[in-house]
Amino acid sequence: MNDVKSIILVGVGGQGAILVSRILTHGLVQAGYDVKMSEVHGMAQRGGSVSVQVRFGSKVHSPIIGRGGADIMVAFEKMEAVRYCEYLRPDGIAVINDYEILPMTVASGSAEYPEGTLDEMKKNFTTVIVDAASMARDLGNPRCMNIVLFGAMVNALGLSEIDWVAVMREILPSRILEVNLKAFDLGLKA
Amino acid sequence: MMKSLMSGNEAAARGAFEAGVKVCSAYPGTPSTEVFENLPQYGDDLYCEWAPNEKVAAEVAYGASIAGARSLCAMKHVGVNVAADPLFTAAYNGAGAGFVIITADDPSMHSSQNEQDNRLYSKFAKIPMIEPSNSQECKDFMIEAFKISEMFEVPVFFRMTTRVCHSKSLVEEGKRTEAKVVEYRRNVPKFVSTPANARLHHVDLEKKLSQIEEYSNQSSLNSEEMNGSELGIVTSSISYEYAKEVFEDKASYLKISICNPLPMAKIKDFAGKVKRLIVIEELEPFMEDQMKAAGIKCEGKNMTGKLFELNPELIRERILGQKAEFIVSNVKPVGRPPALCPGCPHRGFFYTLSRKSDYVICGDIGCYTLGCAPPLGAMDSCVCMGGGFSVAHGMSKAFQMNRESGRKVFGVMGDSTFFHSGMTGAVEILYNKGAVIPCVLDNRITGMTGHQDNPGSGYDLMGREALMIDIEKVLVAFGYENVITVDPQDLKAMQKAVDDALGSDVPAAIICKRPCLLIKRMKHDISCCAVDSNKCRGCRSCLKIGCPAIAVRFKKAFIDPTLCTGCTVCAQVCPFDAISKEAR
């Protein structure tokens, strides 16, 4: 069972982590892997913190991991990276979006957004920091930030043998396909 | 055949379809909701509906079973509390055609008020129970559940948990099998539960349970997997997958998928083949207690604990004593508690009630429970579906008896909850002369579970138009002579409604009517508010409405244009007229 890889995607509700997990699992299934994925619905929506776990290999039992169980983490928001970093193996890789979403308590001034999240992650883990927000904005669609990060993750995981462009063609609606393919390309090179 | 990735809920729906189910009724509740959202795709072969509550859903499904159609109902774990009455009697009477009840439990309470272990219901109600551990089993075992139901003429519980419901794994689909239609014939001794009949039913049921235990002992659903004699593990549901992850082929397993009645002979046989026996199960020691009572020496809860979900890491640590290696960040994140969305119609209501600190507000289950969170903080209690009005009534009676009768008490619930079980509370207040203002926050949808239709929304589960039941007329018909329907987003009107209701000489009720902005089939007037920083004095009044779109930057209010929907509640509370609506 040692060939099983575990990925944890974390972010804030509405950032598109679920869409990335759909593309990812679709590609992995087509490539012949056993795949399990876990997400929690309900209260986690509405601007809350979100985590999705994807596991793949020749045979996967548990759909979820515990602390220290993920080979790679993709954080769509940088404070979420420190929230969930316990789930990452000490020798794991963290792909982090250099992007802040203020919780309501911070926006209203009753709490402070922590300083030094990226430095803390760099100190503890092998990190790939991506300015996905700027890249997506330059492409003209801030929402495709998630696919930039997806590209960076594919690169970090060494999953480039799968034809992700074909997978995205199957899953994404045509009106947003082209911009997302460009976003993916930028992420691959990030 | 190509396998596809399905959630447990999708697969359970697929399984019911393949099992030839014909009549399906449910009330939404996380984590069970998507089972029924996945049924309309099979709409040519089956009938499916949202019922007003779980008791109704269970009764509808049982009625269909009596009439000879395979039937399904689904609910979250606490829904079974609501449906318990018909289910206990259905067990005594027995099923007609196959009758399966899905209970979706929520260990760790991801979206629930308790983590009751509904396996205990299977013993209590004397209803056989099947537990799948992954999506393929959700589909295959559903077919088996219908088979057992018909073979022994009993209802069958199908217990899932959050991780089984919401995890996705590969499923190979099969074909639908239609049941042979048997013409309905009245059967009074079986289906009319008079005491005389019930005495016979109980004797019958105990016999059936012994037969099903024998079946459970023979069934391949309870399967042994031998890997030596050092360690044996008895496990079920998602815990089986966790155990396999941790112990791989270094332990022998007895996987229990029919957990009531337990296959005790098979368990005894397995126990005799291993030197050490451990039971791995989430929540209550359901299997362990029964095994110990049967004289089987085993361990379990002394290591795994009764609280919350398990996972492979916790099993490794608690049973093997191996601590996981991980790094805790020194930089601490701040929380992201859920909040009412920008533009949520509930905001104006709770803001208005939050202005008086001595109001007592009894809430209910739904998005509006979030009215309890600061800065709104406008809630005293939240107990269960439909409890808002009756708990409020009880509090008002206590205030009367304690000579605190000056207290103003509000009962609060949403439209779907009103139809679920709130109407009886509204009747109670009138009948027993309560001093409570019942308030229905009618946002035209069942919100928290992800937008399911209800008797007030005008549509059914299949997406067809349905009779739209008018809450105002219902309250008037009960005897509320002063029903005030108000747009909660208009704060002046909202305040006037509250004052009017409190000052009313006749029984009064408030209906806050404005659709949730996330309802897809409606057109919403979305725009954006902006702050004139010359006028803003940084008084922070606008922060008191608890809107995620408003922040303070450089001591002035700032509205995030990507989040704002232009509801203008903030503009209405600004004392300096510094916020106005912009064209987007």
Side-chain angles (χ1 to χ4, degrees), chain A residues 115-137:
Chain A
E115 296 272 333
T117 47
L118 290 180
D119 289 340
E120 176 72 6
M121 289 300 291
K122 279 187 210 162
K123 191 182 84 192
N124 294 330
F125 300 98
T126 306
T127 52
V128 180
I129 312 283
V130 187
D131 184 3
S134 308
M135 291 181 189
R137 210 180 308 119

Side-chain angles (χ1 to χ4, degrees), chain A residues 66-69 86 90, chain B residues 313-314 316-317 321-327:
Chain A
R67 291 172 297 180
E86 293 173 20
Chain B
E313 179 218 337
L314 293 175
R316 210 171 269 124
E317 181 178 323
Q322 294 172 1
K323 279 204 182 285
E325 281 182 47
F326 56 87
I327 299 171

Side-chain angles (χ1 to χ4, degrees), chain B residues 415 418-419 423 426 430 438 440 442 444 455-456 468-487 507-513:
Chain B
D415 45 335
F418 178 77
F419 291 114
M423 291 188 291
L430 284 177
V440 181
D442 181 4
R444 319 298 305 133
M468 193 185 292
I469 297 173
D470 186 330
I471 297 172
E472 185 173 320
K473 283 184 184 158
V474 172
L475 289 171
V476 169
F478 283 167
Y480 287 93
E481 291 173 46
N482 185 12
V483 179
I484 306 156
T485 299
V486 61
D487 177 357
I510 297 174
I511 300 172
C512 295
K513 197 164 182 177

Side-chain angles (χ1 to χ4, degrees), chain B residues 264-339:
Chain B
M264 204 52 85
K266 199 177 244 179
I267 297 175
K268 274 188 181 158
D269 181 59
F270 179 73
K273 294 185 203 164
V274 293
K275 289 180 189 150
R276 187 182 180 199
L277 187 64
I278 300 178
V279 183
I280 302 181
E281 55 188 329
E282 279 180 331
L283 302 178
E284 299 300 317
F286 179 78
M287 297 191 290
E288 185 182 347
D289 280 356
Q290 293 182 65
M291 286 163 61
K292 283 181 172 160
I296 297 168
K297 202 177 150 224
C298 59
E299 306 162 74
K301 286 292 151 190
N302 57 326
M303 297 182 284
T304 59
K306 280 187 191 183
L307 296 172
F308 314 133
E309 289 184 307
L310 295 174
N311 67 37
E313 179 218 337
L314 293 175
I315 290 175
R316 210 171 269 124
E317 181 178 323
R318 292 174 189 175
I319 296 180
L320 296 175
Q322 294 172 1
K323 279 204 182 285
E325 281 182 47
F326 56 87
I327 299 171
V328 181
S329 169
N330 288 319
V331 174
K332 298 296 172 204
V334 293
R336 291 188 193 273

Side-chain angles (χ1 to χ4, degrees), chain A residues 1-2 12 25 29 33-43 46-49 55 61-68 77 79-80 82-83 85-86 90 101-109 111-112 114-117 120 123-125, chain B residues 2-3 5 30 34 110-111 134 162-163 166-170 238 241-242 244-245 248 310-313 317 324-336 338-339 341 370 374-375 447-448 518 540 543 546-548 550-552:
Chain A
M1 250 64 82
N2 294 331
V12 177
T25 51
V29 169
Y33 289 107
D34 187 22
V35 179
K36 287 191 179 176
M37 166 191 158
S38 191
E39 58 187 66
V40 170
H41 308 223
M43 298 283 276
R46 316 280 182 264
S49 149
R55 309 191 70 220
H61 287 294
S62 172
I64 59 166
I65 51 162
R67 291 172 297 180
E77 201 274 350
M79 183 171 73
E80 297 310 308
V82 299
R83 190 188 313 283
C85 73
E86 293 173 20
I101 296 177
L102 301 185
M104 217 175 71
T105 45
V106 172
S108 65
E112 274 184 36
E115 296 272 333
T117 47
E120 176 72 6
K123 191 182 84 192
N124 294 330
F125 300 98
Chain B
M2 177 76 185
K3 291 183 177 186
L5 212 51
T30 315
E34 299 82 3
H110 294 281
S111 356
N134 56 46
T162 301
R163 296 298 180 181
H166 286 170
S167 294
K168 291 189 176 178
S169 55
L170 292 168
I238 194 72
E241 303 286 2
Y242 301 159
K244 286 285 284 186
E245 182 84 26
E248 301 178 313
L310 295 174
N311 67 37
E313 179 218 337
E317 181 178 323
E325 281 182 47
F326 56 87
I327 299 171
V328 181
S329 169
N330 288 319
V331 174
K332 298 296 172 204
V334 293
R336 291 188 193 273
C341 304
L370 296 172
M448 188 59 116
L518 301 174
R540 306 169 87 88
L543 294 180
C547 177
I550 307 178
V552 170

Side-chain angles (χ1 to χ4, degrees), chain B residues 93-412:
Chain B
N93 290 2
F99 173 31
V100 176
I101 309 111
I102 294 179
T103 163
D105 293 12
D106 190 16
S108 280
M109 297 165 277
H110 294 281
S111 356
S112 304
Q113 63 270 48
N114 76 23
E115 55 178 350
Q116 67 187 51
D117 185 337
N118 277 8
R119 291 180 301 171
L120 293 166
Y121 260 120
S122 70
K123 284 297 275 183
F124 191 14
K126 300 182 182 291
I127 295 177
M129 179 176 271
I130 291 190
E131 284 193 285
S133 12
N134 56 46
S135 300
Q136 182 71 54
E137 289 184 358
C138 285
K139 187 193 79 74
D140 295 344
F141 291 2
M142 181 59 78
I143 298 164
E144 178 73 14
F146 277 99
K147 187 177 132 195
I148 292 175
S149 176
E150 291 187 355
M151 192 185 291
F152 298 98
E153 297 187 25
V154 286
V156 172
F157 268 131
F158 195 78
R159 179 182 181 255
M160 304 167 77
T161 64
T162 301
R163 296 298 180 181
V164 174
C165 293
H166 286 170
S167 294
K168 291 189 176 178
S169 55
L170 292 168
V171 177
E172 190 173 334
E173 292 179 9
K175 286 204 170 66
R176 178 175 166 96
T177 314
E178 293 290 348
K180 212 177 116 207
V181 177
V182 181
E183 195 193 345
Y184 172 71
R185 292 259 164 78
R186 180 184 288 167
N187 187 344
V188 173
K190 178 162 181 179
F191 292 118
V192 181
S193 54
T194 59
N197 287 337
R199 284 181 205 113
L200 300 173
H201 290 157
H202 192 182
V203 175
D204 263 359
L205 179 55
E206 294 300 335
K207 270 190 216 148
K208 284 181 190 172
L209 287 170
S210 313
Q211 289 164 1
I212 302 169
E213 181 173 344
E214 196 38 49
Y215 182 86
S216 181
N217 277 315
Q218 304 300 326
S219 171
S220 62
L221 264 66
N222 298 319
S223 61
E224 205 176 81
E225 193 182 318
M226 294 308 293
N227 298 305
S229 62
E230 285 305 314
L231 175 62
I233 293 171
V234 175
T235 183
S236 67
S237 185
I238 194 72
S239 303
Y240 167 74
E241 303 286 2
Y242 301 159
K244 286 285 284 186
E245 182 84 26
V246 173
F247 295 94
E248 301 178 313
D249 57 1
K250 293 176 194 71
S252 293
Y253 301 88
L254 180 58
K255 179 184 188 295
I256 303 291
S257 304
I258 303 175
C259 72
N260 186 49
L262 277 178
M264 204 52 85
K266 199 177 244 179
I267 297 175
K268 274 188 181 158
D269 181 59
F270 179 73
K273 294 185 203 164
V274 293
K275 289 180 189 150
R276 187 182 180 199
L277 187 64
I278 300 178
V279 183
I280 302 181
E281 55 188 329
E282 279 180 331
L283 302 178
E284 299 300 317
F286 179 78
M287 297 191 290
E288 185 182 347
D289 280 356
Q290 293 182 65
M291 286 163 61
K292 283 181 172 160
I296 297 168
K297 202 177 150 224
C298 59
E299 306 162 74
K301 286 292 151 190
N302 57 326
M303 297 182 284
T304 59
K306 280 187 191 183
L307 296 172
F308 314 133
E309 289 184 307
L310 295 174
N311 67 37
E313 179 218 337
L314 293 175
I315 290 175
R316 210 171 269 124
E317 181 178 323
R318 292 174 189 175
I319 296 180
L320 296 175
Q322 294 172 1
K323 279 204 182 285
E325 281 182 47
F326 56 87
I327 299 171
V328 181
S329 169
N330 288 319
V331 174
K332 298 296 172 204
V334 293
R336 291 188 193 273
L340 296 173
C341 304
C344 175
H346 302 329
R347 180 167 284 108
F349 171 78
F350 284 111
Y351 175 75
T352 303
L353 292 198
S354 74
R355 306 310 292 153
K356 288 268 175 66
S357 60
D358 61 339
Y359 285 173
V360 173
I361 303 148
C362 298
D364 212 301
I365 310 276
C367 288
Y368 40 86
T369 315
L370 296 172
C372 74
L376 294 167
M379 200 164 288
D380 291 81
S381 69
C382 167
V383 182
C384 62
M385 288 292 290
F389 294 169
S390 12
V391 170
H393 179 75
M395 287 188 78
S396 81
K397 289 293 173 193
F399 292 140
Q400 246 169 31
M401 297 308 289
N402 292 343
R403 301 188 193 291
E404 277 193 81
S405 46
R407 289 278 194 178
K408 310 282 188 239
V409 186
F410 297 82
V412 179

